[in-house]
Amino acid sequence: MSATFTGIALNLVALVFFVTMDTTGKLLVAHYPVGQVVFVRFVFHVLFVALAIRLLTGSLPWRSRAPWLQMLRSLCLLAGSLFFVGALAFIPLADATAVGFASPLLTVILAAVWLRESVDWRRWLGVGIGLLGVLVTLRPPFLTGGAAPHWAIMLPLCNAALFSVYQILTRRLAVIDDPRTTILHTGVAGALLLALAQPFIWQWPGSAGPIPAGWVWLGLVALGALGAAGHGLLVLAFTRLPASLLAPVMYSQLLWALIASAVVFGQKPDSITLSGAAIIACGGLLVAWPARGKGGRRA
């Protein structure tokens, strides 16, 4: 099995886990503080990852050759998660996911500037088209002719910027640390930092909203398990393929988000969201289209 096929397959499965996690998170933040939901997710994330690596490899390689980069990566994920989960309390999952697709585009830019990965003119054109689609999805009044969008629509954009840095740091760390070390560090800084806020915001599961305590705990545990599995697969994917090639694969997440938004929440995407998503997808196809190398071969 080729490294390209394996890397793309790992990324695709990770995206399904992420959409399932986002759907569960949207259900929970309707009744519980965002900081609490994200905190419990990170705690179970760390526990599941540590247990899985210990059982599979017999060791826990915590020591990093670049601990500050690991901490920065974890904090980027924490801040991005707070922005995205916070947005889900106010806007549909499909809209938040569509705006969040600025992340793969920003990843291509950062991969070219920071990692010095080769990005040809076709991919740059795709980035430009994709960013135009993100602009449409943000619903500016000068394009839609309607009222100003809900302020929370900007939160997924903040998450996109942070997640693009997270992905670049993941790629950077792939050549510095053991992948197991990076997977272990993913949720540590976020869990420790959010633990400080829990005495002020914590609400016991079952004390708020109509969801029974058992189902709330199940949802919180599922957030950690899905996040751990998704980010673990993402790390493994980045060890096999460059960031600029994996970034376009992220667009498949939009399809699952559209389905989840309609089926679980009854929030069918409107024409603006669909138009923006279509433009983003076109840009993504250009970015993903392999460059023609010497001799006419596809690179």
Side-chain angles (χ1 to χ4, degrees):
M1 187 178 295
S2 69
T4 300
F5 178 84
T6 302
I8 291 175
L10 289 170
N11 204 358
L12 287 171
V13 176
L15 297 178
V16 174
F17 287 167
F18 288 151
V19 170
T20 307
M21 180 182 67
D22 293 338
T23 303
T24 305
K26 182 173 177 61
L27 291 169
L28 291 172
V29 295
H31 308 289
Y32 295 91
V34 172
Q36 177 181 339
V37 172
V38 176
F39 166 70
V40 178
R41 172 215 157 173
F42 272 73
V43 169
F44 282 112
H45 175 119
V46 173
L47 292 176
F48 279 120
V49 164
L51 178 62
I53 291 179
R54 178 68 177 178
L55 291 175
L56 292 173
T57 68
S59 63
L60 287 175
W62 285 101
R63 182 169 296 180
S64 169
R65 296 187 182 92
W68 291 107
L69 279 183
Q70 291 285 8
M71 181 180 295
L72 178 60
R73 175 178 173 273
S74 183
L75 291 177
C76 283
L77 181 62
L78 166 63
S81 297
L82 290 172
F83 281 128
F84 190 84
V85 176
L88 294 180
F90 302 100
I91 62 176
L93 174 61
D95 288 4
T97 303
V99 174
F101 273 107
S103 178
L105 305 169
L106 296 175
T107 299
V108 172
I109 296 172
L110 289 178
V113 174
W114 188 359
L115 301 182
R116 305 297 182 183
E117 293 182 3
S118 177
V119 180
D120 63 13
W121 68 268
R122 186 183 291 105
R123 287 182 177 176
W124 284 121
L125 177 61
V127 167
I129 294 174
L131 290 176
L132 175 62
V134 172
L135 178 62
V136 172
T137 311
L138 287 174
R139 304 166 183 270
F142 69 85
L143 282 180
T144 64
H150 195 287
W151 62 268
I153 197 70
M154 297 303 297
L155 297 180
L157 190 60
C158 295
N159 168 67
L162 289 163
F163 195 65
S164 63
V165 177
Y166 167 86
Q167 291 187 83
I168 292 299
L169 289 173
T170 300
R171 179 62 178 168
R172 177 65 175 164
L173 286 163
V175 298
I176 298 175
D177 281 340
D178 186 311
R180 297 173 299 167
T181 302
T182 299
I183 296 171
L184 282 168
H185 279 266
T186 296
V188 172
L192 293 175
L193 189 61
L194 279 178
L196 301 176
Q198 298 314 302
F200 308 100
I201 65 174
W202 182 267
Q203 295 182 26
W204 281 103
S207 64
I211 308 176
W215 285 106
V216 175
W217 278 114
L218 180 62
L220 292 170
V221 172
L223 288 178
L226 291 165
H231 286 284
L233 293 176
L234 196 63
V235 170
L236 294 176
F238 273 100
T239 63
R240 289 165 170 80
L241 291 175
S244 56
L245 184 58
L246 278 177
V249 181
M250 303 292 287
Y251 291 101
S252 65
Q253 183 176 352
L254 184 56
L255 173 62
W256 303 116
L258 290 170
I259 294 173
S261 189
V263 174
V264 179
F265 303 105
Q267 298 172 330
K268 296 182 179 179
D270 60 16
S271 59
I272 296 177
T273 299
L274 291 175
S275 298
I279 296 172
I280 292 170
C282 289
L285 289 174
L286 274 178
V287 172
W289 194 265
R292 187 178 295 277
K294 293 181 179 180
R297 293 177 299 175
R298 293 290 183 183

